[in-house]
Amino acid sequence: MDAGAARAGSAPSAGSAPSAPSASPAASAPSASSTPWVPLAALNMRVRRRLSLFLNVQSLVAADWTTLAEELGFEYLEIRHLEAYPNPTGRLLDAWEGRPDASVGRLLELLAKLGRHDALEELGPSIEEDCQKYILKQQQEESEKPVQVPAVDSSVPRTVGLAGITTLDDPLGQVPERFDAFICYCPSDIQFVQEMIRQLEQTNYRLKLCVSDRDVLPGTCVWSIASELIEKRCRRMVVVVSDDYLQSKECDFQTKFALSLCPGAHQKRLIPIKYKAMKKEFPSILRFITVCDYTNPCTKSWFWIRLAKALSLP
């Protein structure tokens, strides 16, 4: 084979469509078993953009992003919604990232299953590099954690009465406090949360909201307590979306955890609220869920009625 023929089989450029997938996987491509537990978030934007060059192009001889979306469990209407974006593969990865099975290993497994060995061969080294960086970062963070000293017994007898996590928990831990909804919010949005308390708790709706600053006892682990409350104590979760919300790691964790409990929002468990104008783009992982919009003057009078009824559903 001459040099010109060798160049013809090289990877696609940004302005050209990828060639049809090769017949067998390349040896340099990472396997799903080598990166099974690394989350999808480990892949940087450069790798995602390059993957989009392969999957955005629809072809009769190669599986594209729509086939991948079906394998990931996305429904027909969700896929049709993604078609409106100039980079549907990127949007698909963003939406999938909030689901519990979103991992690099799963992505590699599906690309191999769909016969996209061309993408695996071209992106393999970059994916491997991103995974190694993620693993090293996790190991570094683990090594920097403070050493936990052994628990020191107090002279005061201990009882199970100290096991509660909310202010109204049963002292013996036998009857945990339960709520109609967990409120996911940033400290800067606390005034709207207080208005929500007045409208939903102190009116005839008589709903019971879980507001961390008011209801959760101090001294508890933020992540584990939020998981316990969202999964086992609260029937719904209300997300107060704002520009500050997009910067909050705590809100990001709570939202993705709630989405993992009801993939595709089939159980109407999560309710996003937009209560003021935003300068930044609405989070992609919430775009498939009906939003309760407080900023629309035409529907503002119905806002609290709609929200209350949604939280009152069994």
Side-chain angles (χ1 to χ4, degrees):
M1 179 185 298
D2 59 22
R7 286 192 297 272
S10 62
S13 65
S16 62
S19 58
S22 57
S24 60
S28 62
S31 63
S33 60
S34 67
T35 55
W37 58 272
V38 177
L40 188 67
L43 297 184
N44 64 32
M45 293 305 299
R46 181 169 174 267
V47 171
R48 297 181 185 220
R49 283 195 297 267
R50 292 172 65 194
L51 180 60
S52 297
L53 293 177
F54 287 90
L55 300 185
N56 281 348
V57 180
Q58 294 187 337
S59 169
L60 296 177
V61 296
D64 58 24
W65 71 270
T66 59
T67 311
L68 177 62
E70 291 174 353
E71 291 289 337
L72 293 175
F74 281 74
E75 297 183 348
Y76 172 75
L77 292 178
E78 293 175 318
I79 296 175
R80 288 298 304 273
H81 180 79
L82 289 171
E83 289 177 347
Y85 293 98
N87 181 11
T89 301
R91 291 288 180 174
L92 172 64
L93 295 177
D94 289 342
W96 181 42
E97 192 172 310
R99 301 189 178 187
D101 63 337
S103 68
V104 176
R106 177 63 174 158
L107 177 62
L108 296 177
E109 177 186 337
L110 290 178
L111 289 176
K113 178 181 177 181
L114 298 176
R116 293 312 303 254
H117 306 302
D118 54 336
L120 289 173
E121 179 180 1
E122 172 67 20
L123 302 180
S126 297
I127 293 176
E128 190 72 35
E129 181 182 354
D130 282 354
C131 291
Q132 290 300 323
K133 287 180 179 179
Y134 176 85
I135 293 172
L136 289 175
K137 182 180 179 182
Q138 294 299 307
Q139 292 174 344
Q140 182 180 0
E141 291 179 353
E142 188 68 25
S143 65
E144 292 175 353
K145 288 183 178 179
V147 178
Q148 298 294 318
V149 298
V152 179
D153 261 346
S154 169
S155 57
V156 179
R158 296 189 178 189
T159 69
V160 293
L162 303 178
I165 61 176
T166 65
T167 56
L168 297 182
D169 263 345
D170 176 17
L172 297 180
Q174 297 178 354
V175 185
E177 186 179 11
R178 300 190 183 278
F179 304 87
D180 292 301
F182 180 91
I183 310 301
C184 172
Y185 66 97
C186 287
S188 59
D189 300 321
I190 188 64
Q191 288 187 348
F192 182 76
V193 174
Q194 291 172 336
E195 177 64 18
M196 190 182 303
I197 291 173
R198 286 190 290 270
Q199 294 289 342
L200 300 178
E201 286 191 341
Q202 300 171 7
T203 60
N204 292 333
Y205 296 122
R206 298 296 178 187
L207 293 169
K208 189 173 183 180
L209 308 180
C210 181
V211 179
S212 298
D213 290 316
R214 179 191 66 175
D215 300 311
V216 177
L217 294 175
T220 52
C221 175
V222 173
W223 312 110
S224 60
I225 295 306
S227 303
E228 166 79 14
L229 291 168
I230 294 169
E231 181 178 11
K232 300 179 180 178
R233 305 280 197 96
C234 302
R235 295 188 300 112
R236 300 282 190 277
M237 185 170 102
V238 175
V239 181
V240 181
V241 182
S242 65
D243 288 327
D244 292 328
Y245 161 90
L246 298 174
Q247 305 300 320
S248 170
K249 292 183 178 180
E250 186 175 346
C251 289
D252 181 65
F253 167 79
Q254 293 172 1
T255 302
K256 290 179 177 177
F257 181 79
L259 284 172
S260 72
L261 300 176
C262 55
H266 296 301
Q267 300 176 2
K268 301 182 180 63
R269 188 183 183 100
L270 192 148
I271 303 172
I273 285 180
K274 179 182 177 183
Y275 84 98
K276 63 180 180 181
M278 296 176 59
K279 297 179 181 178
K280 300 177 181 177
E281 196 173 6
F282 200 81
S284 58
I285 60 174
L286 297 178
R287 286 181 182 165
F288 300 112
I289 306 175
T290 304
V291 178
C292 211
D293 192 352
Y294 192 71
T295 65
N296 188 343
C298 297
T299 61
K300 192 171 183 178
S301 60
W302 304 327
F303 177 86
W304 296 112
I305 298 174
R306 292 179 65 218
L307 181 58
K309 288 189 176 296
L311 297 180
S312 301
L313 292 174

